[in-house]
Amino acid sequence: MAEVITMPRLSDTMTEGKVAKWHKKVGDKVKEGDILAEIETDKAVQDFESEIEGTLLYVGVEEGAAAAVDSVLAIIGNEGEDISGLTGGAAAPSAASEETKSEEQPKAETVETASAEVPAGVEVITMPRLSDTMTEGKVAKWHKNVGDTVKEGDLLAEIETDKAVQDFESEFNGVLLKQGVEEGGASPVDTVLAIIGPAGTDISSVGAPKSAAPASEKPAEQKAEAKTEEKAAPAANTSSSDRVAISPLAKKMAQDKGVDINSVQGSGENGRIVKKDIENYQPAAKSAASAPAASAAAQVAVNFVQGEDTETPNSQVRNIIAKRLSESKFSAPHYYLMVEINMDKAIEARKEINSIPDTKISFNDMIIKATAIALRKHPQVNSSWAGDKIIHRGNINVGVAVAIPDGLVVPVLKNTDQMSYTQISAAVKDMASRAKNKGLKANEMEGSTFSISNLGMFGIETFTSIINQPNSAILSVGAIIEKPIVKNGQIVVGNTMKLSLACDHRVVDGATGAQFLQTLRTYLENPLTLLL
């Protein structure tokens, strides 16, 4: 029986998707895991793979066109199957597609000619909007220079947004004729980033922003060096070799299961990891101690020179951090609750868990797990203020603050309450490591419903944090301190840890926050209760 495939919602803010490219045509055989199309969302272009097998009978959205989320994207079924009831008696998709293309082609040509005198074969690439809040992007690094040959899929540049540094790939073949933004420079979204076309094409008629001047000052020099730089380009591309070819569905499954995608062998096109690879994955036996530790990162070191003031230009990340934290602190009425927890039983539980072969978890992993389970019992704390209403989140997604040289980022563990200790540990190590190398994607730092900040590794006993909007609370975790405590009327040596909960009073009342901390305290002081 034919299956209707609808336009997927690939991000929390997506309302419509654009089909950047179809990988299958009407009449083609489709297998589970095959790439059907590339869908352009409001944040990025993502591969969309089929979850069913059959023949592609109908294409609901032509290549280059957009459609609302949940509208018909395609229909897959048995060859020759009647699908008129599913398409509302629509004409054959191939014919309709050809008619539409022939009608729209003149319009596209007219717009292109009218908007700018772009020579034939030349493509103007604009600064992409890589996140829903991005207004400008900074070119952290160019991987291609003027005069270099560019192929579809080649890494053009690294773009620093308000959330992360992301690789930006070319969708065209040709020669890089112009860099619209110099390396280290910033430009608003939709302004000229680069121009690609046939070698030697005159692009003087194509407008460019002022920031493009440095890139065009030495065109002759750059062309003369082109051959040498072409040899260096592949080496530059190796910086992105850590990027694993994986479908969005498989990536989500890997995160949920705590699977290291770098150790998975892909069976899809060009070694791409698909759904069945994650389902069938069997981890190789290895010591967990060999996993890279998520060491804490400090701010970029500044050299001290006696009697001389120096300046450090703000990165895009630090500017946005300053803006967001100021908005949070001045708009959300913060208050703070603090509690001291006896960690003796948690220490014993961690030792027992880590005695299991190939298992190594941290106290932070235990706190994340306990927090997620506590949020189940106190959904008000897992809520957000939205002006005239409070949104109670249906998923528990815990953001974990990670220090990087440019400031602070908060990668998000999706559906944390459903993750095991080992899954949490693997995910935190992976994201913390990639955060320090600016390898996190924007969608890995979105959608948090609660946040945790831990400075215990620095020996900090207690501190308070600013709420990470749109969350309504953030938990600050201090160090475990060995000190005298009173137990059963006797003074004994114990291990304690202080927690501080910052709450948005518009959403979380004092009693609600206190009850949440009581539940969290119970879970940490008696880890076995997490199993109930």
Side-chain angles (χ1 to χ4, degrees), residues 241-253:
S241 60
D242 291 334
R243 295 179 302 146
V244 178
I246 183 170
S247 73
L249 177 61
K251 186 174 183 180
K252 184 178 185 303
M253 290 176 63

Side-chain angles (χ1 to χ4, degrees), residues 231-245:
K231 293 180 181 178
N237 283 343
T238 58
S239 68
S240 62
S241 60
D242 291 334
R243 295 179 302 146
V244 178

Side-chain angles (χ1 to χ4, degrees), residues 375-420:
L375 287 169
R376 277 189 195 168
K377 294 186 176 293
H378 302 277
Q380 187 71 19
V381 183
N382 197 56
S383 304
S384 301
W385 178 260
D388 58 347
K389 60 189 174 185
I390 293 174
I391 301 173
H392 306 288
R393 302 297 179 182
N395 293 320
I396 295 172
N397 302 331
V398 176
V400 182
V402 175
I404 62 172
D406 282 340
L408 195 73
V409 294
V410 187
V412 180
L413 303 178
K414 304 294 174 66
N415 299 310
T416 319
D417 56 320
Q418 299 174 26
M419 300 174 72
S420 66

